Amino acid sequence: MSETSSPATGAEPPARRRVLLLAHTGRDEAREVARAFCKALTGHGLVVRLLGDEARDLDVTAEQFDPALEIIEDVTDAGVGCELALVIGGDGTILRAAEVTHSSGTPVLGVNLGHVGFLAEAEHDDVESTIEAIVQRRYTAEERLTLDVTVHRDGEIVFSTFALNEASVEKAARERMLEVVVEIDGRPLSRWGCDGVVCATPTGSTAYNFSAGGPVVWPGVEALLMVPISAHALFARPMVVAPTSVLAVELLATTEGAGVLWCDGRRAVDLPPGARIEVRRGRTPVRLVRLHEAPFTDRLVAKFGLPVEGWRGSIERRRRLAEGHDA
């Protein structure tokens, strides 16, 4: 007499896979793409989590989908329990997602609906292949160096935050230049009259740092960048320093201009004369999802539309030589 095994009583059902979806809901195209992702992912049995205000902007309810959407009102720990955060929009929306998921370490996958969209991994016409990659878990996550930023006044920390791209000290009024002293590793470097100073990560090297004339740094390089903005000084060059270095910018007490600190263009604090800003490598990296293994060089060429016509490369040269053509 054979025995038939039966499921153990009280056995836990397999946990549902969850994806946090964040979208630039001010754009019609983003709303359309976000609704398409909700339909497709729930159709594959994944739970989609939305912030309450975005669910209302998308005009969707939990019961429209099976499994039902998770709609939450508190962004705190919004990424907890989610295998990734799917972001529909441009780099600004991806930076918002990095802020939302920073404490949970949830990987961020960007679908670009913006202009350059340097942080995004997929374009809007890659929706089907992106869905397939998520469902089949055919993706990887790479850690990107971040910045921990603190503002000091009279020796007290009055503001602290993080940044994925950059922390920029800028003049608050167009007609007033800032007078600053910059410091690296506890030693003064130079005094500048300037419009500001950008402290950036390699990830942010193609953002504000790039516009300010700083170098493009491959994301695999661990380093911190400091770039003056319109400095009136003989020595005012972009600098690349060790990831263990601590950068500091002090607004001189005698400066006539007030400043403002912007982190990733999202979080700001006013800087009176005498304020001190310290920037160091962040304790918590941001994880960006990658669907492809394309080199960073290819990303630069594609995003900036760089001219590469005429390149033959070593493989092409070897092929032509084997066929008896001139190199």
Side-chain angles (χ1 to χ4, degrees):
M1 181 176 176
S2 62
E3 294 184 359
T4 303
S5 61
S6 58
T9 58
E12 291 286 336
R16 287 277 196 183
R17 297 174 60 195
R18 282 172 169 76
V19 172
L20 173 65
L21 191 148
L22 300 165
H24 185 338
T25 56
R27 298 181 58 182
D28 291 340
E29 184 181 13
R31 291 195 297 271
E32 180 181 343
V33 172
R35 285 190 286 262
F37 269 110
C38 287
K39 181 178 180 180
L41 292 175
T42 55
H44 286 281
L46 279 70
V47 176
V48 176
R49 181 179 295 173
L50 292 172
L51 301 180
D53 56 349
E54 295 194 8
R56 290 183 283 274
D57 289 341
L58 295 175
D59 194 24
V60 296
T61 62
E63 296 74 20
Q64 283 178 249
F65 301 88
D66 183 21
L69 302 178
E70 282 187 355
I71 299 177
I72 61 174
E73 298 298 333
D74 188 1
V75 300
T76 306
D77 298 328
V80 172
C82 295
E83 64 181 65
L84 60 81
L86 177 63
V87 188
I88 316 298
D91 280 347
T93 312
I94 296 173
L95 290 171
R96 177 168 69 90
E99 181 179 346
V100 170
T101 62
H102 186 235
S103 61
S104 64
T106 308
V108 175
L109 169 57
V111 178
N112 181 40
L113 297 182
H115 297 291
V116 176
F118 217 96
L119 295 174
E121 178 66 6
E123 300 297 324
H124 68 280
D125 52 359
D126 298 330
V127 170
E128 290 187 7
S129 60
T130 302
I131 292 168
E132 182 181 352
I134 294 173
V135 171
Q136 297 183 7
R137 286 195 173 102
R138 199 173 61 247
Y139 60 84
T140 58
E142 65 181 31
E143 293 188 347
R144 292 295 184 90
L145 183 150
T146 59
L147 305 175
D148 282 344
V149 186
T150 54
V151 177
H152 303 249
R153 293 180 192 163
D154 300 322
E156 300 289 333
I157 296 178
V158 297
F159 181 77
S160 62
T161 187
F162 87 102
L164 172 59
N165 271 356
E166 77 279 313
S168 61
V169 176
E170 305 172 30
K171 62 181 184 180
R174 179 172 181 172
E175 67 276 8
R176 294 292 185 184
M177 182 182 298
L178 291 180
E179 289 286 342
V180 304
V181 171
V182 295
E183 171 192 300
I184 297 178
D185 295 329
R187 304 302 302 165
L189 179 71
S190 187
R191 173 175 170 170
W192 296 329
C194 58
D195 287 351
V197 181
V198 177
C199 300
T201 66
T203 298
S205 71
T206 50
Y208 196 175
N209 166 82
F210 182 82
S211 299
V216 175
V217 180
W218 265 235
V221 176
E222 293 196 340
L224 305 180
L225 288 67
M226 176 180 275
V227 181
I229 306 172
S230 302
H232 291 248
L234 178 63
F235 181 85
R237 294 290 184 266
M239 289 168 286
V240 181
V241 303
T244 54
S245 290
V246 178
L247 312 180
V249 180
E250 291 189 4
L251 274 65
L252 297 182
T254 55
T255 186
E256 295 183 2
V260 59
L261 169 71
W262 282 98
C263 291
D264 287 342
R266 293 191 46 78
R267 300 171 298 283
V269 62
D270 291 333
L271 301 172
R276 174 183 173 89
I277 303 88
E278 292 184 356
V279 178
R280 50 178 51 81
R281 180 180 187 157
R283 290 165 293 180
T284 306
V286 166
R287 301 171 68 202
L288 296 183
V289 170
R290 289 293 171 237
L291 305 179
H292 316 286
E293 296 299 325
F296 182 69
T297 308
D298 290 355
R299 182 177 295 269
L300 279 176
V301 170
K303 296 295 185 179
F304 288 138
L306 302 179
V308 293
E309 295 84 0
W311 179 78
R312 291 158 62 184
S314 58
I315 295 175
E316 177 67 7
R317 283 196 293 272
R318 286 198 298 269
R319 183 188 67 81
R320 291 178 63 84
L321 285 170
E323 293 175 352
H325 299 292
D326 292 336

